[in-house]
Amino acid sequence: MSGTLNKVMLIGHLGDEVKMHYFEGGGCIGRFPIATNETYTNKTTGERVTNTDWHNIVVRNKAAEICEKYLSKGDKVYVEGRLKTRQWQGEDGNTRYSTEVQVQDFTFLSTKKESQANAAQTQKPVQPEATGSAGVEKASTAEQEDDLPF
Amino acid sequence: MSGTLNKVMLIGHLGDEVKMHYFEGGGCIGRFPIATNETYTNKTTGERVTNTDWHNIVVRNKAAEICEKYLSKGDKVYVEGRLKTRQWQGEDGNTRYSTEVQVQDFTFLSTKKESQANAAQTQKPVQPEATGSAGVEKASTAEQEDDLPF
Amino acid sequence: MSGTLNKVMLIGHLGDEVKMHYFEGGGCIGRFPIATNETYTNKTTGERVTNTDWHNIVVRNKAAEICEKYLSKGDKVYVEGRLKTRQWQGEDGNTRYSTEVQVQDFTFLSTKKESQANAAQTQKPVQPEATGSAGVEKASTAEQEDDLPF
Amino acid sequence: MSGTLNKVMLIGHLGDEVKMHYFEGGGCIGRFPIATNETYTNKTTGERVTNTDWHNIVVRNKAAEICEKYLSKGDKVYVEGRLKTRQWQGEDGNTRYSTEVQVQDFTFLSTKKESQANAAQTQKPVQPEATGSAGVEKASTAEQEDDLPF
DNA sequence: TTTT
DNA sequence: TTTT
């Protein structure tokens, strides 16, 4: 089987603390939500719109314990893993689905404390403008790829 | 907002045909399910286990039309996009969730016809052993996947 | 230290056979080149241009042996790994650099034999038009994200 | 052509300022180096080893100008793009190669100023231990990385 | 040096 | 509901 790929990569902020569950055999899992944002300009109204997407993150065993120890609500983290949709029978007899990201790798990027320390010291809001740039690039790259001499 | 990343990358087979929906404004979307497989060895029983994960793929506009034209049930495709969980009110008043992959990029990898042509001509089953190889590198993770009750 | 990410993901064709090197301690590595293509339309001339990029792939130990056994020149493969630039002293005293992709995961996608079997049977050239689509999508997605009712 | 994928994703720190080059036609590119780290435990000696990998990043046009405006030496950034190896004739007549990451997307993660503000306020060194965690999941690979002579 |  |  296989010849397939199932990969998710997220950078986002924790929407809540890591919730741990311990199993009898000694294993454990940690769960926490991560928020990612997408921002775009509504073409009709010209206004800037931001959507937040929430992702259910699941970590196991040692990795879970490390996450619980070092991650808190508001922290920014990189998470890499596999998409998995669990299903179960609802009380009304219908099938319910819940999609999770089962973590295979992660890296802590910055704590909420850091961000606040910075916000208190900095005057310019770097992020808002900065990340709008990515979309800009996507368009311009394709168009000009052939006429730049390097 | 932002400073975030929301990326999904899948290689898998279509479980069904591309279903198109056309909107009044001229836009359209196509939807299709993709299956990815993970294989591991149950540490206790020693048996080889395969799980299939299903993903809801959503493509828009021109890309949707190209997918409809060239992709069929059984074909293998690479898909890259964004994770998005829609929610709505169920008839019982509870919130329901559905997670989709909104496609930003894709590449056709092979048609079912190709695979069958090959299967008819080849004697050795290349994939089964071959893709076990990837697991070699990530053995530790895979081995523990079966004894956690969730 | 860390809090960093170094990831490369390639789908391409082998430009040559896997070359193995065995070490005294029992370890081994395999090396092979992979070609990826990018296609775009020259805005000024309107002509379709294709560039090929070559990547030096390095695999270790068991994974290397599996690659040697199952991969041949012309086969298509998915490769995931880490970017690494080695440097050494050239004969003229200058520093030379060589960048490699050190494989962490991979999946065989199709053999050259398959492609040929297919080419012999099929009449329509699926890929050329199909993959041009990806770029199309990148533009259209951003522009219309707000006015589609779903 | 195509049916291929060429993708690089990096999170790292700028090793220098963004260097801009302007072209006659009005286009421009920015270049800067990014450092990523990998850490593993030498299995024989038991000591913790850290390697730094340097990557040549290339950004174009508007994106380049935004990078120049907001990124400084030491800042942490996420960069996504394409691997490209340029080649040229060396003075000795030999072919030289230089591999770059041509940016398609990016996100600013944190400024050096932030990190320092945080370092001044925090007592516990979160990152060093925290990112060791990721290795937990991929231990088998990392452990063997040091005893292969290449 | 690959592939379509 | 796919594929090997």
Side-chain angles (χ1 to χ4, degrees):
Chain A
M1 283 26 87
S2 203
T4 65
L5 173 72
N6 178 350
K7 184 162 294 269
V8 185
M9 304 165 98
L10 304 171
I11 296 176
H13 294 92
L14 272 76
D16 200 355
E17 304 297 333
V18 180
K19 298 283 162 52
M20 298 293 288
H21 295 269
Y22 297 91
F23 302 114
E24 302 181 3
C28 62
I29 65 170
R31 294 174 178 278
F32 56 91
I34 279 187
T36 59
N37 304 292
E38 76 174 315
T39 315
Y40 61 91
T41 307
N42 182 311
K43 241 179 31 179
T44 331
T45 67
E47 66 175 340
R48 203 87 187 126
V49 185
T50 294
N51 284 327
T52 299
D53 292 302
W54 286 99
H55 313 276
N56 302 313
I57 310 300
V58 180
V59 213
R60 291 160 182 267
N61 302 323
K62 274 208 197 105
E65 289 164 359
I66 295 167
C67 283
E68 191 209 12
K69 189 167 177 185
Y70 292 106
L71 283 180
S72 300
K73 187 176 173 174
D75 290 354
K76 183 184 272 189
V77 69
Y78 166 80
V79 143
E80 182 180 331
R82 192 184 289 144
L83 257 193
K84 200 120 208 166
T85 299
R86 293 183 300 136
Q87 50 178 284
W88 69 91
Q89 233 37 38
E91 299 173 0
D92 57 0
N94 290 324
T95 309
R96 299 276 176 276
Y97 302 92
S98 176
T99 300
E100 304 168 339
V101 176
Q102 297 195 333
V103 172
Q104 293 166 318
D105 204 353
F106 62 91
T107 287
F108 301 159
L109 293 174
S110 57
T111 60
K112 192 182 182 181
K113 198 181 297 182
E114 276 176 12
S115 310
Q116 291 177 331
N118 177 61
Q121 296 194 353
T122 320
Q123 58 277 42
K124 62 162 184 186
V126 171
Q127 282 302 338
E129 300 180 52
T131 35
S133 66
V136 166
E137 165 65 358
K138 266 174 186 161
S140 59
T141 300
E143 287 161 24
Q144 305 199 11
E145 216 137 44
D146 42 298
D147 48 32
L148 283 183
F150 80 104
Chain B
M1 273 32 84
S2 208
T4 65
L5 173 72
N6 178 351
K7 185 162 292 272
V8 184
M9 304 163 99
L10 304 172
I11 295 176
H13 295 91
L14 272 77
D16 200 356
E17 303 297 333
V18 178
K19 299 282 163 53
M20 298 293 289
H21 296 270
Y22 297 89
F23 302 114
E24 302 181 5
C28 63
I29 65 170
R31 295 174 177 276
F32 56 92
I34 280 188
T36 58
N37 304 292
E38 76 174 318
T39 314
Y40 61 89
T41 305
N42 181 311
K43 240 177 34 180
T44 331
T45 67
E47 66 176 340
R48 204 87 187 125
V49 185
T50 295
N51 283 328
T52 299
D53 292 301
W54 287 99
H55 313 275
N56 302 311
I57 310 300
V58 180
V59 212
R60 292 159 183 265
N61 302 323
K62 276 209 196 101
E65 288 163 0
I66 294 168
C67 283
E68 190 208 13
K69 189 168 176 186
Y70 292 108
L71 282 179
S72 301
K73 186 174 174 175
D75 290 354
K76 182 184 273 189
V77 69
Y78 166 81
V79 143
E80 181 180 332
R82 193 185 288 143
L83 257 193
K84 200 120 208 168
T85 299
R86 293 183 301 137
Q87 50 178 283
W88 69 91
Q89 232 37 38
E91 300 172 0
D92 57 359
N94 290 323
T95 309
R96 299 274 177 277
Y97 301 92
S98 176
T99 301
E100 304 168 339
V101 175
Q102 296 196 333
V103 171
Q104 292 166 317
D105 203 354
F106 63 90
T107 287
F108 302 159
L109 292 175
S110 56
T111 61
K112 192 183 182 180
K113 199 181 297 183
E114 275 176 13
S115 309
Q116 290 176 332
N118 177 59
Q121 296 196 352
T122 320
Q123 58 278 41
K124 63 163 182 185
V126 172
Q127 281 302 340
E129 302 180 48
T131 35
S133 67
V136 165
E137 293 278 304
K138 295 189 171 171
S140 58
T141 304
E143 285 163 25
Q144 306 188 0
E145 218 137 44
D146 43 296
D147 48 34
L148 284 185
F150 81 103
Chain C
M1 270 35 80
S2 209
T4 66
L5 172 73
N6 178 350
K7 184 162 294 268
V8 184
M9 304 163 99
L10 304 172
I11 295 176
H13 294 92
L14 272 77
D16 200 355
E17 302 297 332
V18 179
K19 299 282 164 51
M20 298 294 290
H21 296 269
Y22 296 89
F23 302 113
E24 302 181 5
C28 63
I29 65 168
R31 294 174 178 278
F32 56 93
I34 280 188
T36 58
N37 303 292
E38 77 174 317
T39 315
Y40 62 90
T41 306
N42 182 312
K43 243 178 30 178
T44 330
T45 67
E47 66 176 339
R48 203 89 187 124
V49 186
T50 295
N51 284 327
T52 298
D53 293 301
W54 287 99
H55 313 275
N56 302 313
I57 310 300
V58 181
V59 211
R60 292 161 182 265
N61 302 324
K62 275 210 196 102
E65 289 164 359
I66 295 169
C67 282
E68 191 209 13
K69 190 168 176 187
Y70 292 107
L71 282 179
S72 299
K73 187 174 173 175
D75 290 352
K76 183 184 273 188
V77 69
Y78 166 82
V79 143
E80 182 179 331
R82 193 185 287 143
L83 256 193
K84 202 121 207 166
T85 298
R86 293 183 301 135
Q87 51 178 284
W88 70 91
Q89 232 36 37
E91 299 172 1
D92 57 359
N94 291 323
T95 309
R96 299 275 177 277
Y97 301 93
S98 176
T99 301
E100 303 167 339
V101 176
Q102 298 195 332
V103 172
Q104 293 166 317
D105 203 353
F106 62 91
T107 287
F108 302 160
L109 292 175
S110 56
T111 61
K112 192 182 184 181
K113 197 181 299 182
E114 275 175 11
S115 310
Q116 292 176 331
N118 177 60
Q121 296 195 352
T122 320
Q123 58 279 41
K124 61 162 184 188
V126 172
Q127 281 301 339
E129 302 179 49
T131 36
S133 66
V136 165
E137 166 67 357
K138 264 174 184 158
S140 59
T141 299
E143 288 162 23
Q144 307 199 9
E145 216 136 42
D146 42 297
D147 49 31
L148 282 186
F150 79 105
Chain D
M1 281 24 92
S2 207
T4 65
L5 173 73
N6 178 352
K7 184 162 292 269
V8 185
M9 304 163 100
L10 303 171
I11 296 176
H13 294 91
L14 272 76
D16 200 355
E17 303 297 333
V18 179
K19 300 280 165 50
M20 296 294 290
H21 297 270
Y22 296 89
F23 302 113
E24 302 181 4
C28 62
I29 64 168
R31 294 175 178 276
F32 56 91
I34 280 188
T36 58
N37 303 292
E38 76 174 318
T39 315
Y40 61 90
T41 306
N42 182 310
K43 241 177 33 177
T44 329
T45 67
E47 67 176 338
R48 204 86 187 128
V49 185
T50 294
N51 284 327
T52 298
D53 293 301
W54 287 99
H55 313 275
N56 302 313
I57 310 299
V58 180
V59 211
R60 290 160 182 266
N61 302 323
K62 279 211 193 100
E65 289 164 359
I66 295 168
C67 283
E68 191 208 12
K69 190 169 178 186
Y70 292 108
L71 283 179
S72 300
K73 187 176 173 175
D75 290 353
K76 183 183 273 189
V77 70
Y78 166 82
V79 143
E80 182 180 331
R82 194 184 287 143
L83 257 193
K84 202 120 206 165
T85 299
R86 293 183 301 136
Q87 51 178 286
W88 69 91
Q89 234 33 41
E91 299 172 1
D92 56 0
N94 291 322
T95 310
R96 299 275 177 276
Y97 301 92
S98 176
T99 301
E100 304 168 338
V101 176
Q102 297 195 332
V103 171
Q104 293 166 317
D105 203 353
F106 63 91
T107 287
F108 302 160
L109 292 175
S110 55
T111 61
K112 192 182 182 181
K113 197 181 299 182
E114 275 176 12
S115 309
Q116 291 176 330
N118 177 61
Q121 296 195 353
T122 320
Q123 57 278 42
K124 61 161 185 187
V126 172
Q127 282 301 341
E129 303 180 48
T131 36
S133 66
V136 165
E137 296 276 305
K138 294 188 172 172
S140 59
T141 303
E143 283 166 3
Q144 308 190 357
E145 218 136 44
D146 43 296
D147 48 33
L148 284 184
F150 82 105

